[in-house]
Amino acid sequence: MESVLSKYEDQITIFTDYLEEYPDTDELVWILGKQHLLKTGGTGPSSDAGWGCMLRCGQMMLAQALICRHLGRDWSWEKQKEQPKEYQRILQCFLDRKDCCYSIHQMAQMGVGEGKSIGEWFGPNTVAQVLKKLALFDEWNSLAVYVSMDNTVVIEDIKKMCRVLPLSADTAGDRPPDSLTASNQSDELIFLDPHTTQTFVDTEENGTVNDQTFHCLQSPQRMNILNLDPSVALGFFCKEEKDFDNWCSLVQKEILKENLRMFELVQKHPSHWPPFVPPAKPEVTTTGAEFIDSTEQLEEFDLEEDFEILSV
């Protein structure tokens, strides 16, 4: 039996030498009685295993910010319970589809402008820069994403980026905690592991998303803070100016008093820095998904290689 299988394996190997790739053509082809356009098949990676962990972390951090933005910090997900329409719309932003604003496709493609090839691992800084640029095309959430430079948060620059947004009456209120004080005895960290790959999930016929794999399937873990990789990005969400002012006060009171600081907080833009220019959406007549479909069009974005890598 083994000799027979070996014989056919040799024949298959020889036969594949004569196979050709599908031609790059706009013509339709017939397969089992249906017409197909060859170019719609796609040639990119079919999985993000081995390179997508940091992109998924960026998605999780941004998704939590959107939860706070639309549902409030006190809202929590319950399994098998009907969820608000805002929640379903948030999920739509992160589906693994090219036409979703914060999909892994969009993040990987936008990373090309940061010098990362599709399928290449991102660092925290690259993820932050990519999310800042994708947010420019997100009209629903109207986010102003600020990425610090040289580990320094500039209050003046952040307030220049933000604009007053009307709040609907049914929007849940939100504010930072009253204290950031942590225990001096442990200060351990609780973390979620992004390295468990999940199967593809798409919108169902009723417009909802099966969200089971969007939430923790395993218990959170803990680690000593000294074991943390020093290349990290910290994300904070402030819904209103008063929330940001409160955050600044807490940081100055609780964080900046430490000898080893993860970042600095200053009021004015440093004079020796280049002038701060708030990011603006390029003038295009297409959607964000179509805009970044071509890497040539990414040239309108400046590369910001010197932006933050926050370190302990």
Side-chain angles (χ1 to χ4, degrees):
M1 179 62 74
E2 291 182 356
S3 61
V4 173
L5 291 177
S6 177
K7 175 182 178 182
Y8 280 101
E9 287 177 355
D10 292 339
Q11 290 180 353
I12 293 173
T13 302
I14 296 173
F15 177 69
T16 57
D17 294 338
Y18 297 93
L19 295 179
E20 296 181 358
E21 296 290 337
Y22 288 118
D24 185 15
T25 176
D26 292 325
E27 296 183 6
L28 295 173
V29 298
W30 287 88
I31 301 178
L32 299 178
K34 291 186 178 181
Q35 286 185 324
H36 299 269
L37 182 62
L38 292 180
K39 285 191 173 182
T40 61
T43 58
S46 59
S47 171
D48 66 327
W51 61 274
C53 55
M54 192 65 69
L55 284 78
R56 298 301 187 185
C57 287
Q59 287 180 322
M60 288 189 284
M61 184 166 64
L62 182 59
Q64 178 61 25
L66 299 187
I67 290 291
C68 294
R69 166 78 171 85
H70 296 284
L71 300 174
R73 196 178 299 274
D74 294 332
W75 180 87
S76 60
W77 175 78
E78 295 183 30
K79 190 175 181 180
Q80 305 297 341
K81 181 180 179 181
E82 184 178 356
Q83 308 298 340
K85 65 177 188 294
E86 293 86 357
Y87 169 81
Q88 290 292 335
R89 191 167 181 182
I90 291 173
L91 289 185
Q92 298 282 344
C93 295
F94 298 94
L95 292 178
D96 291 340
R97 291 188 350 207
K98 191 175 180 180
D99 59 345
C100 295
C101 188
Y102 300 112
S103 68
I104 196 168
H105 305 72
Q106 294 283 25
M107 295 181 68
Q109 184 69 52
M110 188 64 83
V112 174
E114 296 293 326
K116 298 290 185 179
S117 302
I118 294 179
E120 184 178 352
W121 184 84
F122 283 22
N125 177 59
T126 304
V127 170
Q129 298 293 347
V130 163
L131 292 178
K132 180 182 74 171
K133 293 174 180 179
L134 288 177
L136 298 174
F137 299 95
D138 182 7
E139 297 181 357
W140 175 51
N141 293 295
S142 298
L143 295 177
V145 179
Y146 173 85
V147 183
S148 65
M149 182 175 179
D150 292 341
N151 299 348
T152 303
V153 177
V154 182
I155 298 176
E156 179 184 52
D157 293 347
I158 292 178
K159 294 199 173 187
K160 187 181 296 184
M161 282 184 61
C162 300
R163 57 190 176 89
V164 178
L165 297 174
L167 295 178
S168 59
D170 59 350
T171 301
D174 185 51
R175 60 182 302 234
D178 294 327
S179 175
L180 295 176
T181 304
S183 170
N184 293 326
Q185 297 180 351
S186 62
D187 199 23
E188 286 184 334
L189 300 176
I190 297 175
F191 71 94
L192 305 177
D193 188 351
H195 296 96
T196 301
T197 56
Q198 308 290 348
T199 56
F200 170 77
V201 176
D202 204 350
T203 308
E204 298 181 354
E205 291 184 1
N206 61 0
T208 63
V209 176
N210 184 350
D211 61 353
Q212 299 299 309
T213 60
F214 282 74
H215 299 273
C216 261
L217 299 180
Q218 300 176 350
S219 299
Q221 304 176 53
R222 65 178 184 173
M223 64 180 293
N224 191 297
I225 192 171
L226 296 180
N227 295 330
L228 181 68
D229 191 309
S231 178
V232 299
L234 303 179
F236 301 93
F237 172 74
C238 297
K239 190 172 184 178
E240 299 175 341
E241 184 176 7
K242 64 180 181 180
D243 297 332
F244 176 63
D245 292 338
N246 186 36
W247 178 84
C248 292
S249 299
L250 289 172
V251 167
Q252 292 169 338
K253 178 182 177 182
E254 304 289 352
I255 303 297
L256 300 186
K257 66 180 181 181
E258 302 293 335
N259 293 328
L260 296 176
R261 304 172 180 176
M262 296 190 75
F263 61 93
E264 298 289 343
L265 179 66
V266 299
Q267 183 68 44
K268 295 292 185 180
H269 187 88
S271 58
H272 61 282
W273 283 9
F276 176 76
V277 179
K281 179 180 177 180
E283 294 295 330
V284 293
T285 57
T286 61
T287 65
E290 294 167 339
F291 171 69
I292 66 172
D293 186 52
S294 170
T295 57
E296 296 178 356
Q297 294 172 303
L298 290 170
E299 296 177 356
E300 293 197 39
F301 284 121
D302 293 329
L303 294 181
E304 301 174 44
E305 298 291 343
D306 294 332
F307 271 55
E308 107 298 8
I309 295 182
L310 304 180
S311 58
V312 179

